[in-house]
Amino acid sequence: MEQPIEATPGEPWHSRADWFQRCLWRNYFNEETGIMNQWVPRDFIPSDDNFYYWWQAHVIDVLVDAYERTQDPVYAERIRSLSCSLRAYNGGTFLHNYYDDMEWTALALLRAYLATGKEEYKAAVQELWADIRTAWNDHYGGGMAWKKDQTDYKNTPANAPAAILAARLYGLFREEEDLEWAVRIYAWNKKHLVDPATGFVWDGINRLGDGGIDYDWEFTYCQGVFLGAGLELYRVTMEPQYAQDAIRTAEACFDRLCHPESLMLPDEGIDDTGLFKGILIRYLVQLGQQFPEQQRIREVILANAACLWEQGIDAEWGLCGPSWEQQPETPVQLSVQLSGLMLLEGAAALHL
């Protein structure tokens, strides 16, 4: 492993985010593949390890975070290089069997387009969005399928990010069809997978082919993407119900998933779930920026960031674990590291 990068106590959040960005690149970037390794140490690769395409999309997203914050051209070059390498590694295309994976890639590349103005990102988003729209079908009254070979399983991870994407596309290019998609997808998600009594968001319906809803899957991810969809629709329509939905879901998330005293978010483990808290933080930051009077949002984000910085980071190697309250144990997955970086970037965004 490379020589360690030392953390500096007392640094402001933007400096902490810069340091953790450097740690991500140094620890995980693979020069041979052009994308990120999924584990650190690098020699720890399980023989049956899956290729998690959507994790790389979130790498692009955090690089955009850094570029927007710093305007450092190094980050713009890394976005370009990694996106090209991801396309090549995925078989020469951004298209994929999993609709939610494509949605995350499209969201990241759309941000890259806005940040850099490069038309190649816009073209990739348009290609992805055309394919993503094929996810909609009549099983359970509509909604976006999770993946192409299981079209009767519908979940929040495939629907809420699609609504965010459609709403953002409408906000940028004013194609009415995109707004119609955003409204329709959001309405299906709210009707079928949101608790009407509390605003808490459930994961999916018919995963096992029995028509059941996974009420016991209480994930930070689902809260984050649904409130993100509500916020995005509010921004493009200014209809207050969308904002009310988003704030209500945030409150339900805090009440059910945060520790009542410390405000810490739960340890959700590794693999895909290792990314969940970071995604929640991303959309909570946006909600807090839109509605700064919602002080609880800021309190939760900064409480988690302070705890991660003080207790949860290996300062020698620049790694974090799935618990933001404890030192990480190696090996550390990319998904988990990305969540920690999203948290530090979120704290930096709140202090700009």
Side-chain angles (χ1 to χ4, degrees):
M1 187 179 285
E2 299 86 345
Q3 290 298 308
I5 306 169
E6 293 292 343
T8 303
E11 285 292 308
W13 288 111
H14 67 87
S15 297
R16 296 173 182 181
D18 284 338
W19 174 75
F20 219 47
Q21 287 276 3
R22 295 194 297 272
C23 294
L24 174 75
W25 197 260
R26 178 173 293 190
N27 288 331
Y28 289 89
F29 181 65
N30 186 317
E31 293 184 0
E32 294 181 4
T33 64
I35 61 175
M36 296 296 190
N37 290 323
Q38 295 183 165
W39 294 91
V40 166
R42 296 185 179 193
D43 57 0
F44 181 87
I45 302 176
S47 59
D48 59 348
D49 201 31
N50 293 322
F51 168 50
Y52 293 100
Y53 169 81
W54 76 294
W55 296 6
Q56 305 293 328
H58 288 281
V59 176
I60 296 172
D61 233 0
V62 296
L63 292 172
V64 176
D65 290 338
Y67 182 64
E68 288 179 340
R69 181 171 50 78
T70 67
Q71 293 300 298
D72 186 335
V74 167
Y75 290 115
E77 174 55 30
R78 288 177 178 175
I79 294 164
R80 186 204 64 80
S81 175
L82 195 137
S83 62
C84 290
S85 296
L86 177 58
R87 185 198 288 268
Y89 197 87
N90 191 53
T93 180
F94 286 123
L95 303 184
H96 201 270
N97 183 46
Y98 288 83
Y99 286 110
D100 57 337
D101 288 32
M102 291 194 294
E103 290 160 15
W104 286 118
T105 304
L107 285 167
L109 293 175
L110 185 59
R111 291 187 66 216
Y113 167 69
L114 289 172
T116 68
K118 291 190 177 295
E119 290 292 323
E120 64 191 85
Y121 301 137
K122 178 182 175 182
V125 172
Q126 291 171 331
E127 178 188 27
L128 282 161
W129 179 223
D131 198 60
I132 290 164
R133 292 198 300 268
T134 68
W136 185 275
N137 62 60
D138 292 334
H139 293 293
Y140 297 97
M144 311 294 273
W146 180 46
K147 57 178 182 171
K148 294 175 180 177
D149 57 357
Q150 192 180 4
T151 57
D152 60 351
Y153 173 43
K154 308 293 182 65
N155 63 9
T156 296
N159 281 270
I164 295 171
L165 177 62
R168 285 188 184 170
L169 288 169
Y170 172 73
L172 288 170
F173 306 117
R174 293 294 161 174
E175 295 287 341
E176 288 294 329
E177 184 182 12
D178 290 334
L179 179 59
E180 292 168 3
W181 272 107
V183 170
R184 181 165 61 245
I185 296 166
Y186 180 88
W188 184 90
N189 202 158
K190 181 178 177 180
K191 177 180 178 181
H192 292 85
L193 294 174
V194 178
D195 185 349
T198 66
F200 192 81
V201 185
W202 304 311
D203 187 83
I205 184 171
N206 200 46
R207 177 173 57 91
L208 300 177
D210 58 1
I213 293 176
D214 293 308
Y215 293 111
D216 57 337
W217 282 20
E218 298 189 350
F219 295 137
T220 55
Y221 178 176
C222 296
Q223 318 315 308
V225 290
F226 184 75
L227 69 86
L231 174 62
E232 211 64 48
L233 274 162
Y234 171 73
R235 286 172 169 168
V236 296
T237 68
M238 297 308 293
E239 293 184 17
Q241 185 59 57
Y242 291 122
Q244 292 165 15
D245 286 352
I247 292 168
R248 186 171 185 242
T249 291
E251 290 292 341
C253 175
F254 300 152
D255 290 343
R256 189 170 301 191
L257 299 180
C258 286
H259 188 280
E261 297 176 358
S262 68
L263 303 181
M264 293 303 296
L265 290 161
D267 176 347
E268 290 175 294
I270 63 170
D271 296 329
D272 282 341
T273 56
L275 254 170
F276 286 6
K277 286 188 294 188
I279 292 167
L280 168 65
I281 292 294
R282 177 175 299 286
Y283 291 101
L284 282 177
V285 168
Q286 294 175 22
L287 188 63
Q289 290 172 324
Q290 185 75 40
F291 301 104
E293 70 277 8
Q294 297 293 323
Q295 285 296 313
R296 196 178 181 196
I297 296 173
R298 182 183 182 90
E299 290 170 2
V300 167
I301 295 167
L302 294 181
N304 278 266
C307 188
L308 173 65
W309 186 255
E310 294 164 7
Q311 301 179 30
I313 289 179
D314 180 327
E316 182 179 7
W317 295 108
L319 297 170
C320 68
S323 168
W324 290 340
E325 301 174 78
Q326 299 175 5
Q327 289 277 303
E329 296 181 4
T330 55
V332 174
Q333 276 184 306
L334 174 63
S335 58
V336 172
Q337 186 79 0
L338 286 169
S339 271
L341 180 50
M342 290 182 203
L343 178 59
L344 295 187
E345 284 287 1
L350 290 178
H351 279 84
L352 288 179

